[in-house]
Amino acid sequence: MADRLKVDGTELDKFYRDLTRARDSFTALQKVLRDAGVQGLGTDDLDRACDRFQEDWHYGAKEIADQIGELTAITKKAKEDFHEVDVALTKALEKSTGKSTGQRKGTAK
């Protein structure tokens, strides 16, 4: 099983950065929707429809940003946990074989 267990730290870092950018984009969208004015674009019906759209998307963008934020935190924690397990496994392997694996303490990724 150990030969199939592999975590690509570089890809996990990229995923974390992508999630952070997505969360920031939705947060910026919330600000734009909050600050945008729609009055006077056309008829009263169009103004009301634009207002409803802004209200709906403001809520939706906030929910999406919150969920992306939660996923970002989970991803960061998973990377930290994988690193911690990797370091512990390296130490256990060195101890059991009496040999160094070539990695210095805390350098496993």
Side-chain angles (χ1 to χ4, degrees):
M1 179 170 148
D3 59 330
R4 294 183 304 206
L5 177 62
K6 182 178 179 181
V7 175
D8 187 334
T10 303
E11 285 299 314
L12 202 52
D13 284 338
K14 182 184 178 308
F15 184 56
Y16 174 78
R17 286 190 308 272
D18 290 346
L19 286 172
T20 300
R21 275 194 297 273
R23 183 199 60 216
D24 293 347
S25 293
F26 275 97
T27 300
L29 175 62
Q30 287 175 267
K31 182 180 180 334
V32 168
L33 288 175
R34 183 182 62 241
D35 295 343
V38 295
Q39 297 304 318
L41 287 177
T43 67
D44 290 342
D45 288 340
L46 179 59
D47 289 343
R48 281 191 296 276
C50 288
D51 282 338
R52 281 192 304 274
F53 176 80
Q54 277 188 311
E55 289 170 12
D56 290 346
W57 263 105
H58 176 75
Y59 174 77
K62 180 186 179 323
E63 288 298 306
I64 292 169
D66 290 347
Q67 291 177 12
I68 292 172
E70 289 175 21
L71 184 56
T72 302
I74 290 167
T75 301
K76 182 179 180 182
K77 177 77 169 106
K79 183 177 186 311
E80 291 167 353
D81 290 349
F82 277 120
H83 177 71
E84 186 178 315
V85 168
D86 191 41
V87 169
L89 286 173
T90 298
K91 288 179 181 180
L93 180 60
E94 288 174 353
K95 184 178 178 180
S96 70
T97 63
K99 298 178 184 177
S100 175
T101 61
Q103 292 181 336
R104 292 188 322 249
K105 181 179 177 182
T107 62
K109 296 210 184 224

